[in-house]
């Protein structure tokens, strides 16, 4: 897969910028305030239709602007005549529009609309996602082992949302139903009254779609465990939060007290254990692994992610590495450079000289403080 161009308009710190790519390896160089991470975030938005960095979409819109637009041309290679145009538009709703106000008075947040277009045709997010396949590697990923469960769930989502349309649909419905059910629980907690009829519909939705999400995640964990591990050997364990009528009934009182849904895939976690051949046993990497072993685990996962997406889609995804070399030692860096020629790769760095000493043929894009 090849991202041939990227146009950013009123997105983050980019007023209007166009980038054209003609190499397999593109190095984005600039100081920490130049927008390198914003650049990679734009690629993520074209891949998934959502940002891994923000909870409020209005943060994606440049200061003082009412909308932002991200456009990319995507093909299977540099000469693909069937390349498609992907476009995502994020806009603050017009206060005078008949369908609502720009300010949600109940939450105090600006209301945002999002449009997804493929070759100018509007699509749902689930149909927009996965037109640009990608794998992201950032310093934050090095905390997947020791960080919170949300980081590990996001890892599963990034793979499955690009390789399995049924998963995208089920996860999208699950998230929406979960928000509605949590709103009912919050109101029930505040009023002290719970209307069972109101819960029936949302309970059915989160159970049906939650079970699809769980099944797909189980299959992915099995695939990860079966993947050849040349960098570091480990076993992943799926700590799933099963959702069913019985479990919802079991936690009914606790949910009423907390005002949120306490079971389901949104509570899932993953554990990683390394093999000890001397004792024929396993040890939890989070608790007993060194920082180096934890990083090797993540590096191995990212390499597996590239191959698993390619295996499922028959297309090699784009690899995006945001300032990752500042966090890796020379041995790990060499492993990454060894695979650069296998796919289009975007690398961000503050020092071009470091990359220049390692690569022969690459494109350089220099960012300034005010792109």
């Amino acid at each position: 897969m090849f991202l041939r161009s990227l146009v950013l308009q009123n997105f983050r710190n980019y007023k209007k910028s166009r980038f054209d790519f003609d190499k397999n390896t593109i190095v984005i160089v600039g100081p920490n305030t130049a927008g390198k991470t914003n650049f990679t975030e734009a690629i993520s938005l074209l891949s998934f239709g959502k940002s891994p960095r923000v909870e409020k979409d209005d943060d994606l819109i440049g200061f003082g602007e009412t909308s932002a637009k991200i456009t990319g041309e995507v093909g299977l290679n540099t000469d693909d005549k069937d390349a498609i145009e992907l476009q995502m538009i994020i806009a603050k709703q017009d206060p005078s529009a008949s369908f609502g106000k720009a300010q949600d008075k109940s939450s105090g947040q600006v209301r945002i609309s999002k449009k997804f277009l493929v070759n100018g045709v509007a699509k749902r997010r689930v149909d927009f996602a996965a037109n640009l396949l990608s794998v992201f590697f950032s310093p934050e990923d090095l905390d997947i082992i020791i960080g919170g469960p949300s980081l590990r769930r996001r890892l599963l989502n990034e793979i499955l949302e690009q390789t399995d349309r049924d998963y995208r649909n089920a996860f999208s419905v699950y998230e929406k139903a979960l928000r509605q059910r949590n709103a009912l629980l919050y109101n029930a907690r505040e009023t002290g009254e719970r209307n069972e009829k109101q819960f029936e519909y949302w309970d059915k939705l989160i159970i049906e779609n939650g079970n699809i999400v769980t099944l797909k995640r189980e299959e992915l964990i099995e695939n990860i465990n079966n993947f050849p591990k040349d960098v570091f050997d480990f076993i992943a364990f799926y700590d799933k939060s099963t959702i069913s009528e019985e479990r919802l009934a079991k936690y009914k009182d606790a949910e009423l007290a907390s005002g949120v849904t306490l079971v389901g895939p949104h509570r899932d976690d993953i554990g990683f254990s390394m093999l000890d051949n001397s004792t024929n046993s396993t040890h939890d990497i989070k608790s007993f692994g060194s920082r180096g072993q934890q990083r090797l685990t993540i590096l191995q996962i990212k390499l597996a992610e590239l191959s698993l997406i390619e295996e499922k889609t028959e297309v090699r995804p784009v690899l995006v590495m945001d300032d990752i070399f500042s966090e890796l030692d020379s041995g790990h860096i060499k492993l990454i450079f060894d695979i650069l020629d296998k796919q289009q790769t975007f690398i961000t760095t503050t020092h071009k000289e470091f990359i220049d000493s390692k690569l022969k043929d690459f494109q350089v894009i220099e960012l300034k403080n005010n792109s």
Side-chain angles (χ1 to χ4, degrees):
M1 184 150 280
F2 201 91
L3 179 61
R4 294 165 35 155
S5 66
L6 181 66
V7 181
L8 307 176
Q9 185 173 343
N10 298 332
F11 172 70
R12 296 285 197 178
N13 67 315
Y14 292 91
K15 188 71 176 178
K16 189 168 185 179
S17 301
R18 179 184 178 92
F19 306 95
D20 293 289
F21 314 116
D22 56 13
K23 299 286 186 182
N24 249 27
T25 302
I26 298 96
V27 178
I28 314 298
V29 184
N32 290 330
T33 56
K36 298 189 303 297
T37 296
N38 295 343
F39 181 99
T40 62
E41 182 183 30
I43 299 177
S44 177
L45 287 163
L46 291 180
S47 291
F48 303 101
K50 57 184 178 181
S51 170
R53 295 176 57 199
V54 299
E55 294 183 3
K56 297 189 296 180
D57 289 322
D58 57 297
D59 289 340
L60 301 173
I61 301 173
F63 181 75
E65 303 293 342
T66 58
S67 65
K69 186 186 296 183
I70 302 138
T71 307
E73 186 182 13
V74 180
L76 294 179
N77 51 57
T78 54
D79 302 317
D80 187 0
K81 295 180 180 179
D82 296 320
I84 61 174
E85 181 188 80
L86 302 177
Q87 189 171 84
M88 180 175 176
I89 302 171
I90 310 112
K92 298 177 182 179
Q93 289 185 1
D94 185 348
S96 63
S98 59
F99 51 79
K101 296 182 177 180
Q103 190 78 11
D104 185 339
K105 293 182 179 179
S106 64
S107 66
Q109 294 184 0
V110 175
R111 297 180 115 185
I112 294 292
S113 66
K114 290 184 286 188
K115 292 182 180 179
F116 308 98
L117 299 100
V118 178
N119 289 334
V121 179
K123 300 286 185 179
R124 298 182 302 160
R125 189 192 74 84
V126 294
D127 297 316
F128 177 84
N131 280 288
L132 172 59
L133 301 173
S134 60
V135 170
F136 287 79
F137 196 6
S138 70
E140 183 184 41
D141 290 320
L142 296 172
D143 290 328
I144 286 176
I145 301 293
I146 61 174
S150 63
L151 291 175
R152 295 182 283 278
R153 290 193 296 269
R154 191 179 77 188
L155 172 69
L156 300 181
N157 290 336
E158 284 180 353
I159 301 174
L160 287 167
E161 287 203 348
Q162 295 188 90
T163 59
D164 195 315
R165 191 176 186 278
D166 290 339
Y167 182 89
R168 286 201 303 274
N169 277 317
F171 188 67
S172 178
V173 173
Y174 180 83
E175 284 191 310
K176 292 174 183 176
L178 181 65
R179 286 195 294 269
Q180 294 294 330
R181 190 175 189 275
N182 283 343
L184 289 178
L185 284 169
Y186 177 81
N187 290 332
R189 186 185 69 176
E190 295 301 298
T191 63
E193 298 179 2
R194 173 175 168 138
N195 187 327
E196 295 300 332
K197 284 290 183 183
Q198 291 180 324
F199 279 86
E200 286 180 4
Y201 175 76
W202 302 113
D203 284 2
K204 182 180 179 181
L205 273 185
I206 64 170
I207 290 171
E208 287 180 354
N209 290 280
N211 284 327
I212 294 173
V213 170
T214 297
L215 176 62
K216 299 290 186 180
R217 287 180 176 179
E218 282 180 322
E219 292 173 351
L220 175 58
I221 294 295
E222 183 178 355
N223 286 335
I224 290 174
N225 284 333
N226 291 334
F227 184 82
K229 300 180 180 66
D230 301 324
V231 175
F232 189 74
D233 202 3
F234 67 86
I235 298 174
F237 296 93
Y238 183 25
D239 183 11
K240 64 183 178 181
S241 178
T242 305
I243 190 165
S244 62
E245 290 183 12
E246 293 74 20
R247 292 204 80 205
L248 289 177
K250 178 181 178 181
Y251 286 90
K252 181 177 177 179
D253 292 340
E255 287 187 339
L256 185 60
S258 64
V260 294
T261 304
L262 296 177
V263 299
H266 64 290
R267 313 282 288 196
D268 283 351
D269 201 355
I270 316 167
F272 300 95
S273 291
M274 55 186 176
L275 305 176
D276 185 343
N277 293 324
S278 63
T279 61
N280 198 27
S281 60
T282 61
H283 302 289
D284 178 57
I285 296 175
K286 180 178 181 178
S287 301
F288 299 100
S290 67
R291 185 62 171 165
Q293 289 170 322
Q294 292 167 357
R295 292 185 174 192
L296 279 175
T297 302
I298 299 306
L299 179 56
Q300 180 67 82
I301 288 172
K302 289 298 173 179
L303 296 177
E305 188 176 347
L306 280 166
S307 296
L308 288 172
I309 291 176
E310 182 179 22
E311 181 181 300
K312 293 291 184 180
T313 65
E314 298 184 348
V315 175
R316 185 76 171 180
V318 171
L319 175 60
V320 183
M321 297 186 290
D322 184 20
D323 199 27
I324 199 67
F325 297 120
S326 62
E327 301 290 335
L328 296 176
D329 61 30
S330 59
H332 300 160
I333 291 171
K334 184 181 183 303
L335 290 171
I336 291 176
F337 278 119
D338 287 344
I339 65 162
L340 289 188
D341 61 344
K342 295 183 179 181
Q343 69 283 308
Q344 186 185 32
T345 304
F346 291 85
I347 301 170
T348 73
T349 182
T350 54
H351 298 90
K352 172 180 173 290
E353 297 77 17
F354 172 78
I355 303 296
D356 204 15
S357 66
K358 306 289 183 181
L359 298 177
K360 292 181 180 179
D361 186 30
F362 60 96
Q363 178 182 353
V364 175
I365 294 176
E366 294 195 29
L367 302 180
K368 306 300 181 183
N369 280 323
N370 294 302
S371 296

